Amino acid sequence: MIWRRLLLTRLAGMVATLAVLSVVIFAGTELLPGDAVSAVAGQHASPAQRAEVRTQLGLDRPAPQRYLEWIGGALHGDLGPSYTGGRPVTDVITERLGNSVLLALAVYLLLIPLSLTLGTIAGLGSASGRRGRRADRVILVATVSMLGVPEFLTGGLLLAVFAVWLGWLPAVSIAPIGGSVLDDPQALLLPVASLLVVSLGAATRLVRAGVANVAGSPYLEAARLAGVRGPKLVLRHVLPAALGPATQVISIGLGTIVGGAVVVETLFDYPGIGNELQSAVAGRDVPLVQGIALTLAAVTLVALLLGDIVARALDPATGGRP
Amino acid sequence: MPQSPYSRRELLRGGVLLGGALLASPLLAACSGDAGSSPTGPSRRGGTLRAALVGTGANENLNPFTGATVLDFVRARAVHGTLGVIDPDAPEDVRYGVLAGIDVDDDRSRYSLRVRGDARFTDGSPVTARDVLYSLKFVVRSTPSYAGYTADFDLDAARVDGQKTLVVPTKRPVSDGHLMLCQGIVFVFKDGTRRFTPDTPSCGAFRIEEFDPGEGTLLRRNDDYVGGTGGPYLDAVELRSIVADDARANALRGGQVDFVHDLAPAHARTVEADDQFTVVESRPPDVSGLGVLLNMSRPPFDDVRVRQACKLALDRKAILNTALLGRGIVGNDLFAPGYPDSPTAIPQRPHDPDRASRLLRAAGASGAKVTLTTAPESAGLVRTCTQIAEQLSALGLPVTIDERPAGGLYADYDAYARLQMAATYSTAMPPLQYYEVSRAGKNPFSLGWSRSDVDRRISHTRTLTGQRRHQASTAVHRVLWEEDNVLLPVFKPVLNGQVANLRGVADGLFLQFPSFVEASLQ
């Protein structure tokens, strides 16, 4: 019952947030530099031709009316047609979102074990002897460095070394014509590595903080006195306490991955939603920009909600109660 | 702003330019083709060329005029063929594609377009005059941007004369209509074509074997193609969309593609430092002018002496070296170099800051504060404007730069027309047509330029031929050179990077949208 109430409350909050965001997105695209009519009609269009295009695009109607139509369509999965190619925006997003989800999953597949391992070593090290503290400092410095370097620089460096200089990996993630990005898994490596570096710093530091809190706690000391040592101590007593906050952090880290994906996908020409957004903005394809922005907002909010729920479920302090 | 038959979106996406090839010009000395750096010997048949160009994403389709990116046009040129392209070595300055030729009546009231007898679509049907008429109307209908191509012709009064001749009346007597009809984007579609799929009949050098929106297109050689000068030599061409220019450069250097279109100057320098690659520069007229318009309806630019002072104050070579890293040509404040009508007899304007300073003082404009509005609408445009601003400030005309985000310069067309100084970039189009499209008739985008006498002289010049035309063109351009409001210090070429064993791309002409019809992998 308590879980149900929590879920309903959070869902309502998410819907309200998404509604506000949809207004912000719509207003933001209205204010974008560049006029969709000019983009479609061209510079030579006469006033009459421009008016015709404006009517065709539905831009002659008041903005509130267009917003309601857009959001009404979105609720039914219809985000309208793209200005440039004429394809349904929903189809374009579905196609590209799959590739981006694949990229994010590959990042998480590495991010979760790596951040847990490094964060645990650092967190336990912070509360132990000199050797442990040294390991903690090394990891802290490394993660701070990762946090300080923007994704375009990280990606650019990886690209310069592994694609251009050594020639080991492809510089751009182009899939075989008619195939998918999975047909050439090598093409995923550099984008994944770039996003991993960007997100690993924050995730590791948050796991470390959780572990460090537990490391000095009386119940862990009690476990030690009871003879629990090594991996058993970590797996049974340290990680469960640290996982809650870490899960939330990892869900928050999705924001980093989504934001970074726009840069990284463009850098490696990865056929994901971030790259598509960049193309849509350049082409003043307003329905596509709106659709992608709304989708990314929804995905991020759902991830945050899931992260919050999992964190509460894993929190030993609450015994799995919300 | 000089207007072009392209929308701002198209230009932003790919630096889309119109044009063809060139007549011999002193400007050419500054440019390089691919003849000197590519392997020699007879062109080898076979092989697959992998090319990367600016395209769009998953909403890509096969109608070249709905996406209107460089990739869309290159694919359409390869697949559908064109009426022709401008070629300085051809007798009428045009290399015909689907057409065998164009006959013009003595009074220039009618153009007769003759279709090649052996031209066929991929479904085996012959290309007819009716197809050509349909194609012309299709191009014009696609978007108002393209109306300029046939603005001199009355397509509604056109008449099909037999299977192979299309007679098109002119709206006014012009003798250069073939230069617009053969601009390389007047693609040829089969009469009635409305939907574009890989199976749509076409008559270009290649046919579509596979199309994967947003990923790429695989083209296979059309052995029945008749428009080439020996080609097509390649078995196949893979067209890939890579939007970011650094990603295109990296794809070439990483060996994932063999040809990349439109590199930034810095990337071109990196690419050509490696012996495995060469960089091919387009030549005039396939270049884009970068500069500034001075608003003649606002002080201090309503005084011709101030405008002349600004022109004389520019150190064009320094701007070229700084803004374009030396890749390009020095401009002479006149649009569209390299065409038959381009005024080569007008001398290059000198850098004369002393005279400029005297003119500015005489006009009482020393110290007048002005604002230059710019935006990164074309690569190198902001840097060019920054250089212009610095040099004019040094002259005694303090310039404040108002830099807007990409797309911001033309976001409000009415506001653009009121700017005191505005960045501009040109597209390649024959100069007389360019003037009529972008500056004649008090065009608001020409920022206060309003000279009905010049409009009439340009219009009259277009009716002339031969030496009389050349003299008239030079004379009217001299008026523009001395009195108008255009600062055009540099022209930017298209820089294409390619593997060293690729040759013949430039032989297909019109490098803005390379055809690959004469390309071969040696």
Side-chain angles (χ1 to χ4, degrees):
Chain A
M1 196 64 180
I2 300 173
W3 271 109
R4 191 174 160 195
R5 190 185 303 158
L6 175 83
L7 270 176
L8 287 174
T9 310
R10 291 302 165 90
L11 274 174
M14 194 183 88
V15 170
T17 309
L18 199 56
V20 172
L21 281 176
S22 72
V23 174
V24 171
I25 289 165
F26 189 86
T29 47
E30 288 281 304
L31 297 173
L32 262 182
D35 175 13
V37 173
S38 306
V40 173
Q43 297 173 359
H44 284 301
S46 65
Q49 288 166 327
R50 288 169 64 83
E52 190 184 332
V53 171
R54 189 170 290 280
T55 305
Q56 281 170 5
L57 298 178
L59 296 173
D60 54 339
R61 287 166 298 151
Q65 186 186 343
R66 282 186 283 121
Y67 168 76
L68 290 174
E69 285 172 6
W70 172 65
I71 204 68
L75 289 173
H76 295 92
D78 177 12
L79 289 162
S82 141
Y83 280 169
T84 49
R87 278 188 76 189
V89 167
T90 313
D91 289 0
V92 174
I93 290 175
T94 309
E95 218 170 284
R96 293 307 206 198
L97 190 62
N99 287 338
S100 290
V101 168
L102 184 70
L103 189 62
L105 285 177
V107 173
Y108 272 120
L109 211 61
L110 296 168
L111 177 67
I112 291 170
L114 274 175
S115 60
L116 285 178
T117 306
L118 293 172
T120 304
I121 291 171
L124 289 176
S126 67
S128 64
R130 186 193 293 176
R131 209 170 136 194
R133 281 198 293 274
R134 192 179 300 154
D136 179 37
R137 275 199 296 272
V138 169
I139 291 171
L140 271 179
V141 169
T143 52
V144 167
S145 306
M146 288 175 183
L147 282 170
V149 183
E151 48 273 77
F152 74 87
L153 195 57
T154 309
L157 277 171
L158 290 171
L159 193 150
V161 173
F162 293 101
V164 178
W165 185 37
L166 296 173
W168 291 351
L169 295 171
V172 291
S173 306
I174 47 180
I177 295 172
S180 87
V181 284
L182 286 175
D183 291 337
D184 181 13
Q186 270 201 330
L188 276 166
L189 292 180
L190 285 178
V192 167
S194 305
L195 286 173
L196 182 64
V197 170
V198 171
S199 46
L200 185 61
T204 301
R205 288 174 68 82
L206 284 157
V207 174
R208 177 201 173 272
V211 171
N213 274 342
V214 178
S217 65
Y219 90 84
L220 197 69
E221 194 53 37
R224 279 200 188 102
L225 290 172
V228 185
R229 290 276 190 279
K232 196 174 174 186
L233 180 81
V234 172
L235 291 173
R236 290 188 61 178
H237 297 282
V238 178
L239 275 182
L243 268 181
T247 307
Q248 254 179 330
V249 163
I250 288 170
S251 71
I252 290 167
L254 182 75
T256 314
I257 292 177
V258 168
V262 176
V263 176
V264 168
E265 287 181 4
T266 304
L267 182 66
F268 295 102
D269 207 55
Y270 183 84
I273 197 84
N275 203 1
E276 195 68 36
L277 177 63
Q278 194 263 350
S279 276
V281 170
R284 304 293 180 274
D285 196 331
V286 175
L288 195 50
V289 173
Q290 290 172 337
I292 292 174
L294 190 65
T295 305
L296 290 179
V299 167
T300 307
L301 287 174
V302 168
L304 287 174
L305 177 68
L306 289 176
D308 194 22
I309 292 167
V310 173
R312 281 172 180 269
L314 289 175
D315 189 353
T318 63
R321 291 185 304 276
Chain B
M1 177 189 68
Q3 291 192 335
S4 86
Y6 290 90
S7 71
R8 179 169 39 78
R9 182 189 74 232
E10 296 143 20
L11 289 158
L12 283 170
R13 279 192 165 177
V16 171
L17 303 172
L18 294 174
L22 69 157
L23 283 183
S25 154
L27 296 168
L28 297 189
C31 302
S32 61
D34 67 347
S37 53
S38 291
T40 55
S43 298
R44 192 177 76 83
R45 287 193 180 273
T48 297
L49 176 75
R50 300 163 302 166
L53 310 100
V54 174
T56 183
N59 60 347
E60 181 182 17
N61 68 36
L62 291 173
N63 182 337
F65 299 112
T66 54
T69 63
V70 172
L71 178 55
D72 291 315
F73 282 110
V74 167
R75 181 175 50 221
R77 192 178 168 207
V79 172
H80 296 290
T82 62
L83 298 183
V85 288
I86 293 180
D87 180 357
D89 299 324
E92 298 167 18
D93 302 317
V94 164
R95 181 194 294 177
Y96 289 109
V98 162
L99 298 181
I102 297 177
D103 302 321
V104 187
D105 281 10
D106 290 341
D107 61 358
R108 297 176 296 281
S109 64
R110 288 190 313 179
Y111 278 56
S112 298
L113 283 61
R114 288 180 284 110
V115 180
R116 288 179 68 126
D118 52 356
R120 290 191 170 278
F121 287 105
T122 47
D123 64 355
S125 62
V127 180
T128 66
R130 195 169 297 281
D131 299 318
V132 172
L133 178 59
Y134 177 79
S135 303
L136 288 170
K137 288 183 174 177
F138 187 96
V139 171
V140 174
R141 267 202 320 265
S142 298
T143 158
S145 298
Y146 304 106
Y149 288 93
T150 57
D152 298 320
F153 298 100
D154 185 357
L155 291 183
D156 290 335
R159 169 171 64 82
V160 172
D161 183 7
Q163 201 181 28
K164 294 289 185 180
T165 303
L166 175 68
V167 181
V168 191
T170 54
K171 292 177 182 169
R172 56 174 174 156
V174 290
S175 57
D176 54 12
H178 62 295
L179 293 179
M180 291 303 282
L181 292 175
C182 295
Q183 277 286 324
I185 75 143
V186 184
F187 306 118
V188 181
F189 308 121
K190 189 167 180 173
D191 185 15
T193 299
R194 285 184 181 80
R195 290 185 64 244
F196 291 85
T197 71
D199 299 323
T200 299
S202 59
C203 60
F206 297 90
R207 64 178 76 195
I208 297 174
E209 182 163 301
E210 193 162 3
F211 172 59
D212 189 358
E215 294 297 335
T217 310
L218 177 61
L219 306 177
R220 186 68 60 186
R221 184 174 60 219
N222 175 13
D223 290 319
D224 296 329
Y225 178 66
V226 294
T229 59
Y233 299 101
L234 296 164
D235 284 341
V237 177
E238 269 186 32
L239 297 177
R240 297 292 193 159
S241 168
I242 301 182
V243 176
D245 59 2
D246 49 353
R248 286 199 300 283
N250 290 331
L252 178 69
R253 295 172 68 206
Q256 288 178 277
V257 295
D258 309 303
F259 175 91
V260 291
H261 182 260
D262 199 17
L263 289 172
H267 292 129
R269 184 178 284 182
T270 310
V271 164
E272 66 189 351
D274 189 329
D275 290 345
Q276 298 177 75
F277 310 108
T278 58
V279 171
V280 180
E281 283 188 26
S282 68
R283 306 169 178 180
D286 291 353
V287 290
S288 175
L290 304 178
V292 167
L293 294 181
L294 311 172
N295 198 328
M296 290 172 62
S297 60
R298 293 183 60 180
F301 303 118
D302 50 350
D303 189 323
V304 69
R305 290 170 297 184
V306 177
R307 301 197 296 273
Q308 287 173 342
C310 292
K311 292 174 181 177
L312 288 165
L314 298 185
D315 181 348
R316 293 149 203 272
K317 189 71 181 169
I319 296 173
L320 178 68
N321 288 337
T322 306
L324 300 179
L325 303 181
R327 308 297 295 241
I329 58 172
V330 164
N332 198 19
D333 302 324
L334 293 168
F335 290 109
Y339 283 100
D341 293 320
S342 300
T344 53
I346 295 176
Q348 174 63 49
R349 197 186 307 277
H351 174 217
D352 190 345
D354 294 335
R355 190 171 156 225
S357 194
R358 286 197 300 276
L359 281 167
L360 200 62
R361 278 199 303 274
S366 290
K369 291 179 180 168
V370 292
T371 300
L372 165 54
T373 306
T374 186
E377 311 294 11
S378 180
L381 184 58
V382 171
R383 275 185 290 177
T384 299
C385 288
T386 305
Q387 287 290 301
I388 291 173
E390 285 177 7
Q391 294 184 8
L392 294 185
S393 296
L395 174 72
L397 197 66
V399 179
T400 302
I401 292 268
D402 172 15
E403 184 178 343
R404 299 183 180 179
L409 189 61
Y410 304 128
D412 182 342
Y413 280 15
D414 295 334
Y416 180 89
R418 293 192 298 270
L419 295 174
Q420 192 175 24
M421 294 174 79
T424 188
Y425 59 94
S426 72
T427 53
M429 181 187 277
L432 301 176
Q433 286 91 333
Y434 197 102
Y435 179 89
E436 291 196 329
V437 165
S438 66
R439 299 180 64 71
K442 299 182 182 178
N443 189 317
F445 300 115
S446 63
L447 268 62
W449 172 260
S450 173
R451 287 283 295 267
S452 56
D453 60 322
V454 175
D455 295 356
R456 281 194 300 274
R457 286 173 69 178
I458 293 273
S459 180
H460 174 67
T461 303
R462 290 197 59 204
T463 68
L464 305 175
T465 56
Q467 193 58 26
R468 286 182 62 208
R469 182 184 177 103
H470 180 69
Q471 288 170 348
S473 175
T474 301
V476 76
H477 273 102
R478 185 171 280 281
V479 176
L480 295 172
W481 188 72
E482 288 173 348
E483 299 179 29
D484 81 357
N485 57 343
V486 180
L487 305 182
L488 216 53
V490 291
F491 281 86
K492 179 182 71 170
V494 179
L495 301 174
N496 295 330
Q498 59 182 55
V499 292
N501 66 328
L502 174 64
R503 62 178 261 184
V505 177
D507 296 337
L509 304 175
F510 194 27
L511 280 182
Q512 272 76 25
F513 309 133
S515 73
F516 305 118
V517 65
E518 307 300 334
S520 63
L521 287 162
Q522 297 302 102

